[in-house]
Amino acid sequence: MALKSSDVGILAVDIYVPPTCVQQESLETYDGASKGKYTIGLGQDCMSFCSEVEDVISMSLTVVSSLLEKYNVDPKQIGRLEVGSETVIDKSKSIKSFLMRIFEECGNTDIEGVDSTNACYGGTAALFNCVNWVESSSWDGRYGLVVCTDSAVYAEGPARPTGGAAAVAMLIGPKAPIVFESKYRGTHMSHVYDFYKPDLASEYPVVDGKLSQTCYLMALDLCYKRFCSKFEKFEGKEFSLSAADYVVFHSPYNKLVQKSFARLYFNDFIRNCSSVNEEAKVKLEPFSSLSADESYHSRDLEKVSQLVAKNLYEEKVQPSTLLPKQVGNMYTASIYAALISVLHNKHVSLNGQRILMFSYGSGLTSSMFSLKVNDRQHPFSLLNIVTVLDIQHKLESRHVVAPEKFVETLKLMEHRYGAKDFVTGGDASLLPQGSFYLTHVDDLYRRFYDRKPLAIANGH
Ligand code: ACO
């Protein structure tokens, strides 16, 4: 008989952020950009990046070990492991296969799942796979584990300040405190060249920044429309921003998130929803006859809609912006870092609330879905999740480096990308206890990682 699962969702979550970062304000000066361009224009504060001993594999080894240890989950209890990443280190061997060392040590090789890749969307594909598995007749009663891991780096130029790096791990199972409302997903997928990585010898993407912004907003409109109509079909009542307590976006940089929320508000206005007040209706009315295409390029609409949606933005979006503004774009991990920010900032009052999520990956793939919070017992209580995440400490214990050091690291990584037969400096002194780090790559391109010992207080 098939096992029955209910309230499937995220039981536990952890994040790893590289401990080196550069302040956007100092990068602005270094790059010769006008003052305020990165901090106000893009809305970013700081950007984390991988040092020469870190990569998407070391970060995911660290975050998976940390989650299993902090929640006391026996690696044998994991039945599915899915990784989302767009940072290609090997064109055949999955990041998941590197993570198997954690499970093999405990005698568990019975774990389904591999990597999902499509720009920043791979983590959401991995998450959907795990949730679907736990909800399906092939579920064997064990947990799913999702890993989103990316190092976002750009060539010199306007896109460089929109980098970042992190890895997120999420434990998936029934009776979760963060429950998937699986019926209401809205998806839009299409073929465009807005951001892609055709040069396999380089870690940097080819990016049409302006096109990617428009594609993001178009995808947002379509996903929202489809999400609303599914909700309305199942629930028999209107869905508007009033039905979402928080809205969490894939966050390449904060300004796009501000514009995106304003866009959803404009959608509600066009749909004549109760979420739009009378004063806002009057201000938005002059834009009601714009074609969709005109509306994406109207600076006046952008300005007015941001203004009338400002209070709601502060209430429903601002709590999700902490990590994305502090760490930068984490590609697949970005939307889940934004979700973690909501948990961190609002866990005391989150019970019973709905979180609307928008995931976007260039190329393009996008989905909107929703989560409902239902607080549980220890260890899967919101309080414990937030304690384990320890966000404030993670952010405050980072080492701020000068832009020169950041650029020097990127230069070194340009040579290291795809290279063989090298030994790293091996300096893991800045990494937290228990972190994995790259020691060397041999003449057959095989990568080797060591682990820093765990802190005494952290257990054995
Ligand atoms: N003070 C305040 N604001 C300023 C200043 C200043 N001194 N100078 C510029 N700005 C504002 C601009 O007005 C603009 O704001 P607006 O969008 O509200 O008009 C903003 O700063 C950005 O400046 P631009 O000149 O428009 O943009 P730029 O050419 O520098 O590139 C971009 C920005 C396109 C985001 C670039 O960084 C990029 O290509 N990033 C990667 C692509 C990306 O992240 N796309 C998003 C979705 S896909 C994904 O997730 C990868």
Side-chain angles (χ1 to χ4, degrees):
M1 214 169 64
L3 289 160
K4 274 227 173 350
S5 57
S6 61
D7 287 353
V8 177
I10 303 167
L11 288 158
V13 58
D14 201 358
I15 185 166
Y16 175 80
V17 175
T20 33
C21 61
V22 60
Q23 294 287 1
Q24 293 284 2
E25 206 177 343
S26 57
L27 196 59
E28 251 168 31
T29 312
Y30 177 85
D31 287 347
S34 56
K35 190 159 176 50
K37 180 167 182 194
Y38 299 169
T39 48
I40 299 163
L42 296 174
Q44 292 300 106
D45 294 332
C46 193
M47 176 166 53
S48 282
F49 63 96
C50 287
S51 67
E52 58 132 3
V53 293
E54 291 182 282
D55 60 21
V56 286
I57 295 164
S58 69
M59 290 196 293
S60 41
L61 283 163
T62 302
V63 78
V64 166
S65 301
S66 168
L67 183 143
L68 296 175
E69 286 159 5
K70 287 180 183 150
Y71 286 90
N72 234 332
V73 173
D74 183 340
K76 287 200 186 82
Q77 289 177 275
I78 304 296
R80 188 172 193 97
L81 170 57
E82 298 262 352
V83 179
S85 181
E86 61 159 290
T87 309
V88 175
I89 286 196
D90 191 292
K91 286 168 237 142
S92 171
K93 184 171 163 55
S94 62
I95 296 172
K96 187 267 179 80
S97 66
F98 283 92
L99 293 173
M100 283 310 297
R101 67 183 264 184
I102 296 170
F103 301 91
E104 280 175 80
E105 276 169 15
C106 303
N108 182 12
T109 58
D110 177 14
I111 304 182
E112 292 182 2
V114 287
D115 296 1
S116 294
T117 299
N118 190 101
C120 307
Y121 186 84
T124 297
L127 181 58
F128 284 2
N129 286 346
C130 268
V131 169
N132 291 347
W133 176 66
V134 177
E135 287 179 343
S136 78
S137 59
S138 58
W139 184 52
D140 67 3
R142 291 183 295 164
Y143 296 124
L145 188 58
V146 175
V147 181
C148 308
T149 181
D150 271 306
S151 163
V153 283
Y154 290 90
E156 243 171 81
R160 182 156 273 185
T162 61
V168 166
M170 294 178 273
L171 189 71
I172 308 301
K175 299 197 187 70
I178 304 160
V179 184
F180 258 71
E181 298 188 298
S182 293
K183 284 184 293 195
Y184 316 139
R185 291 177 196 167
T187 283
H188 168 64
M189 304 220 171
S190 168
H191 169 48
V192 285
Y193 276 122
D194 60 332
F195 163 114
Y196 48 109
K197 293 181 176 167
D199 180 358
L200 297 174
S202 168
E203 207 175 352
Y204 300 144
V206 173
V207 55
D208 182 338
K210 301 289 169 204
L211 178 63
S212 77
Q213 292 166 330
T214 310
C215 287
Y216 183 107
L217 294 175
M218 285 169 72
L220 177 69
D221 280 356
L222 288 163
C223 286
Y224 188 50
K225 198 169 153 199
R226 288 166 192 165
F227 178 93
C228 290
S229 81
K230 279 200 192 152
F231 182 96
E232 285 158 12
K233 190 173 126 202
F234 283 113
E235 299 298 328
K237 60 179 180 195
E238 172 192 276
F239 187 91
S240 73
L241 289 174
S242 302
D245 298 288
Y246 296 98
V247 188
V248 168
F249 296 90
H250 164 56
S251 311
Y253 51 94
N254 180 255
K255 179 61 87 59
L256 188 57
V257 171
Q258 294 172 33
K259 291 182 187 182
S260 298
F261 184 73
R263 186 81 204 172
L264 290 183
Y265 195 70
F266 181 61
N267 269 271
D268 275 5
F269 163 73
I270 297 291
R271 293 165 59 235
N272 202 18
C273 292
S274 53
S275 54
V276 182
N277 63 37
E278 290 309 315
E279 195 190 332
K281 277 183 191 160
V282 172
K283 293 201 166 127
L284 290 171
E285 190 50 44
F287 307 100
S288 58
S289 56
L290 291 182
S291 69
D293 199 42
E294 286 166 339
S295 73
Y296 295 120
H297 299 105
S298 165
R299 302 287 291 176
D300 290 339
L301 169 59
E302 205 175 83
K303 226 183 287 165
V304 170
S305 56
Q306 270 178 259
L307 196 71
V308 293
K310 193 170 183 302
N311 288 344
L312 277 187
Y313 173 88
E314 295 298 326
E315 183 189 320
K316 294 178 191 284
V317 185
Q318 198 275 337
S320 71
T321 61
L322 173 68
L323 282 164
K325 280 169 75 109
Q326 278 293 324
V327 180
N329 191 356
M330 298 152 259
Y331 288 160
T332 53
S334 162
I335 179 176
Y336 301 103
L339 174 64
I340 287 170
S341 304
V342 176
L343 301 178
H344 170 77
N345 283 318
K346 294 288 171 185
H347 66 276
V348 177
S349 55
L350 263 187
N351 202 22
Q353 304 214 303
R354 174 178 287 128
I355 304 173
L356 187 65
M357 307 278 292
F358 175 64
S359 180
Y360 177 84
S362 290
L364 70 83
T365 52
S366 59
S367 292
M368 186 167 274
F369 56 101
S370 63
L371 307 167
K372 202 78 190 264
V373 179
N374 184 358
D375 207 359
R376 306 280 175 176
Q377 298 293 314
H378 188 86
F380 302 132
S381 64
L382 294 178
L383 181 61
N384 191 48
I385 291 172
V386 167
T387 306
V388 165
L389 283 166
D390 201 9
I391 294 304
Q392 210 58 39
H393 173 73
K394 278 180 183 149
L395 292 179
E396 283 168 4
S397 58
R398 288 186 299 172
H399 299 263
V400 178
V401 303
E404 288 79 2
K405 177 76 188 154
F406 164 64
V407 172
E408 189 189 302
T409 307
L410 289 195
K411 283 227 160 71
L412 174 65
M413 303 302 250
E414 284 169 18
H415 296 295
R416 291 270 173 87
Y417 187 68
K420 62 175 177 174
D421 212 3
F422 66 85
V423 177
T424 67
D427 180 6
S429 58
L430 293 184
L431 306 186
Q433 301 301 120
S435 298
F436 286 79
Y437 59 97
L438 180 69
T439 55
H440 62 287
V441 178
D442 74 8
D443 60 348
L444 287 174
Y445 298 93
R446 293 177 299 192
R447 305 175 79 82
F448 296 87
Y449 297 86
D450 267 357
R451 189 180 191 193
K452 273 182 86 163
L454 283 166
I456 308 297
N458 215 358
H460 4 88

